[in-house]
């Protein structure tokens, strides 16, 4: 039975910033087809669930979300449903088997084919595309970018590191870097669209390599230096980095590239060398700490962030104590911490000595109390100081705007005469564990 082509869409993103970027690119693709975002998210002609598979229950959440859309084989009149992202890649055709109301299953490297897939569905077919063709999609997405004051730019995809707990190498494929020219062009399109800040994204963003327009080999630091020279770009950030790809050149860039913000997100996962080895992280506690020391040497005010997993198989009390001592030694400005989640098909899922939920809960609670205390302490050092804030979005209250300090802190500003995209000098008047409040003193840059 053929169906009408959808006119309105809703995209629901789960997981990391790379999915947010992919969701933005899908929206641009739909806009170029003459479709518009649905005014009422529950009443779109097509719903895209852009999924994440990094931790357990992600797939189950997707199935219950599909159920909530209220379409059944007896009542097929609901929206067209597309499952995109890493759950689509990992589950594949199993999705259509378990949830026959799903029309489209599309992996993270094939979503540029969505318009054709939608046309196929309108012709009465079901569409599945799980190819991992590397970088094909980027050349086929609209070149004009729709953006806010702070924009994401994916520079690298995939991962060859194969940490024993992680699904990314399987769902996102091998490491590939986008070309220098493609990235400079997309950065210019983002600046033309109003971006003042660009965050370079990749599963291992600092593994990016390429050749510049003179054919010279470059790493992420070279790309950052080239972006720094673009007119109209005030701030550059990058995430997520792997410790083994933190080159001297990239660390040095933190010392002398003015637009590179003083913030480094560098996941460590554990403070125990024994666990790091079992995780196949290929860095040690000491080599990680040395990188942070060097970053602090070139940029003493740099804010540090990390990712942690508690309860990896075989993690003893002593291993966990090593993680806590590393956290205390570093004093993170912010961090993400997770309970280990066994992922089918990864080596760690079959390891002996899986840790009980009770122990994981207890360790996560201890770790997070330390991290929250450190984040509060970091934020409270800003009290009474002034800093530049890029205003990014409206707050909950009238006249309130929310932006980011250079150190990635959220700052709430009451500013009737300011607009999103302004960079303002703000005096910090209040601090909490998650955010700061401030009053503008003067406008810093247009
Ligand atoms: N490439 C980055 C790195 O090397 O750290 C991380 C990217 S991964 C998408 C984001 C974070 O998810 C990881 O740093 C890790 O803390 C967490 N993570 C990945 N697999 C996990 C698992 N099986 N259980 C719990 N957390 C996990
Ligand atoms: Fe996953 Fe990061 Fe390890 Fe790659 S380096 S396998 S993305 S945790």
């Amino acid at each position: 039975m053929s169906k009408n082509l959808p006119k309105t869409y809703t995209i629901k993103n789960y997981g990391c910033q790379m999915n947010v970027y992919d969701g933005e690119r899908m929206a641009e693709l739909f806009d170029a087809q003459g479709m518009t975002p649905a005014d009422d998210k529950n009443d779109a002609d097509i719903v895209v669930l852009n999924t994440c598979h990094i931790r357990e229950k992600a797939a189950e959440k997707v199935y219950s979300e599909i159920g909530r859309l209220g379409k059944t084989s007896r009542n097929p009149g609901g929206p067209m449903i597309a499952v995109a992202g890493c759950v689509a890649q990992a589950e594949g055709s199993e999705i259509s088997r378990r949830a026959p109301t799903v029309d489209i299953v599309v992996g993270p490297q094939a979503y540029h084919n969505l318009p054709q897939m939608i046309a196929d569905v309108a012709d009465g077919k079901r569409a599945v595309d799980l190819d991992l063709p590397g970088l094909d999609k980027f050349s086929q997405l609209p070149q004009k970018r729709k953006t806010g004051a702070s924009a994401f730019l994916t520079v690298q995809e995939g991962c060859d590191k194969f940490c024993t707990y992680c699904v990314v190498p399987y769902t996102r494929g091998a490491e590939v870097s986008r070309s220098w020219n493609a990235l400079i062009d997309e950065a210019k399109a983002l600046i033309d669209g109003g971006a003042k800040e660009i965050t370079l994204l990749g599963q291992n963003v600092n593994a990016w390599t390429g050749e510049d327009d003179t054919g010279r080999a470059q790493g992420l630091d070279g790309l950052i230096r080239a972006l720094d020279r673009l007119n109209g770009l005030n701030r550059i950030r990058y995430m997520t980095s792997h410790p083994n790809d933190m080159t001297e050149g990239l660390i040095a860039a933190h010392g002398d590239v003015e637009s590179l913000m003083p913030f480094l997100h560098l996941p460590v996962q554990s403070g125990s060398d024994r666990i790091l080895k079992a995780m196949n992280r290929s860095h040690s506690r000491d080599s990680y700490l040395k990188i942070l020391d060097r970053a602090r040497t070139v940029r003493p005010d740099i804010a540090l962030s990390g990712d942690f997993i508690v309860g990896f198989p075989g993690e003893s009390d002593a291993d966990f104590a090593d993680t806590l001592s590393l956290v205390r030694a570093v004093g993170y400005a912010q961090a993400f911490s997770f309970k280990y989640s066994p992922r089918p098909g990864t080596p760690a899922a079959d390891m002996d000595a899986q840790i009980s939920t009770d122990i994981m809960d207890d360790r996560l609670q201890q770790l997070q109390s330390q991290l929250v205390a450190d984040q509060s302490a970091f934020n409270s050092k800003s009290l009474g100081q002034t800093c530049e804030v890029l205003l990014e979005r409206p707050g909950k209250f009238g006249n309130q705007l929310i932006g980011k300090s250079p150190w990635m802190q959220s700052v709430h500003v009451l500013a009737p005469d300011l607009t999103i995209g302004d960079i303002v000098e703000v005096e910090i008047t209040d601090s909490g564990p998650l955010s700061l409040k401030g009053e503008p003193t003067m406008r810093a840059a247009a």
Side-chain angles (χ1 to χ4, degrees):
M1 188 179 58
S2 68
K3 305 177 188 174
N4 290 333
L5 283 169
K7 292 193 177 67
T8 59
Y9 65 84
T10 290
I11 299 168
K12 194 161 178 191
N13 292 315
Y14 301 81
C16 67
Q17 287 88 346
M18 295 196 71
N19 267 13
V20 174
Y21 174 88
D22 289 340
E24 287 169 3
R25 302 306 315 259
M26 288 177 207
E28 289 162 357
L29 203 56
F30 292 160
D31 293 348
Q33 302 291 310
M35 294 162 65
T36 51
D39 291 336
D40 176 354
K41 287 192 171 159
N42 299 316
D43 197 22
D45 298 335
I46 178 168
V47 175
V48 181
L49 304 175
N50 189 21
T51 59
C52 168
H53 200 238
I54 201 85
R55 277 169 288 278
E56 209 178 355
K57 301 205 181 103
E60 293 315 311
K61 268 192 221 151
V62 174
Y63 288 116
S64 53
E65 185 67 32
I66 294 167
R68 262 198 295 278
L69 292 172
K71 195 165 122 182
T72 62
S73 40
R74 287 213 184 137
N75 172 24
M80 200 179 268
I81 302 175
V83 178
C86 291
V87 172
Q89 194 67 40
E91 296 266 300
S93 303
E94 171 69 8
I95 297 182
S96 320
R97 203 189 56 75
R98 268 189 69 180
T101 54
V102 169
D103 304 283
I104 294 175
V105 179
V106 62
Q109 291 192 19
Y111 63 78
H112 55 289
N113 295 326
L114 270 169
Q116 181 56 48
M117 297 174 88
I118 290 171
D120 288 346
V121 173
D123 271 351
K125 300 176 202 146
R126 186 170 283 148
V128 176
D129 191 342
L130 301 171
D131 273 1
L132 287 172
L135 298 169
D136 282 9
K137 70 177 178 218
F138 292 105
S139 59
Q140 294 175 53
L141 293 167
Q143 299 304 303
K144 197 161 173 231
R145 297 294 328 270
K146 198 162 118 180
T147 177
S150 177
F152 290 136
L153 173 53
T154 292
V155 303
Q156 177 277 344
E157 288 220 66
C159 180
D160 299 335
K161 305 270 192 294
F162 289 93
C163 299
T164 52
Y165 50 82
C166 184
V167 287
V168 167
Y170 311 95
T171 56
R172 290 265 175 175
E175 256 173 43
V176 278
S177 294
R178 294 182 65 193
S179 77
W180 177 275
N181 286 342
L183 293 170
I184 299 289
D185 287 349
E186 192 170 326
K188 285 180 181 162
L190 288 166
I191 298 166
D192 287 348
K196 297 279 174 58
E197 170 178 282
I198 293 182
T199 301
L200 308 176
L201 297 180
Q203 263 88 25
N204 284 304
V205 68
N206 55 344
W208 182 88
T209 52
E211 281 180 0
D212 64 19
D213 41 11
T214 67
R216 210 167 135 221
Q218 294 286 357
L220 191 70
D221 52 318
L223 183 64
I224 287 171
R225 288 178 192 280
L227 294 174
D228 175 64
R229 291 192 287 272
L230 296 181
N231 284 333
L233 184 61
N234 302 71
R235 293 178 163 200
I236 303 171
R237 303 181 185 274
Y238 61 94
M239 70 190 308
T240 295
S241 296
H242 191 285
N244 282 10
D245 294 314
M246 264 334 273
T247 60
E248 283 302 329
L250 185 53
I251 295 172
H254 278 284
D256 60 21
V257 178
E258 206 190 323
S259 62
L260 182 59
M261 290 292 100
F263 179 81
L264 174 61
H265 178 67
L266 195 64
V268 61
Q269 316 300 356
S270 168
S272 152
D273 279 337
R274 205 176 68 81
I275 295 298
L276 288 172
K277 193 153 187 263
M279 288 175 162
N280 192 32
R281 286 291 291 178
S282 61
H283 61 79
S284 64
R285 171 192 177 99
D286 197 44
S287 64
Y288 174 84
L289 289 173
K290 283 199 171 107
I291 296 167
L292 300 190
D293 273 353
R294 292 208 301 279
R296 276 182 164 151
T297 304
V298 298
R299 184 77 209 227
D301 68 334
I302 198 163
L304 299 171
S305 165
D307 287 356
F308 297 89
I309 295 177
V310 299
F312 183 82
E315 185 188 69
S316 64
D317 287 342
D319 293 318
F320 176 64
D322 284 345
T323 299
L324 280 182
S325 77
L326 178 138
V327 167
R328 288 191 197 105
V330 172
Y332 288 92
Q334 52 174 268
F336 300 97
S337 47
F338 312 101
K339 284 187 272 186
Y340 165 70
S341 171
R343 312 308 295 121
T346 59
D350 296 325
M351 285 179 184
D352 294 337
Q354 299 282 327
I355 304 294
S356 75
T357 310
D358 283 354
I359 293 181
M360 280 204 255
D361 285 340
D362 178 54
R363 289 181 184 166
L364 188 66
Q365 200 264 327
Q366 288 187 55
L367 175 62
Q368 290 186 339
S369 342
Q370 181 67 48
L371 289 168
V372 169
D374 291 345
Q375 186 165 351
S376 300
F378 181 84
N379 284 347
S380 64
K381 280 194 244 156
S382 302
L383 266 178
Q385 309 282 326
T386 54
C387 65
E388 285 186 2
V389 175
L390 168 60
L391 299 171
E392 294 175 18
R393 59 192 169 92
K396 273 199 209 134
F397 311 108
N399 295 338
Q400 188 191 48
L401 293 172
I402 303 178
K404 290 269 164 39
S405 77
W407 304 278
M408 201 64 183
Q409 298 147 297
S410 281
V411 186
H412 298 235
V413 182
L414 276 181
D417 55 341
L418 295 169
T419 50
I420 289 171
D422 285 344
I423 297 181
V424 285
E425 186 106 349
V426 167
E427 181 180 342
I428 303 303
T429 53
D430 198 2
S431 94
L434 299 179
S435 63
L436 305 172
K437 277 190 194 151
E439 284 168 13
T441 56
M442 60 182 278
R443 190 169 305 209

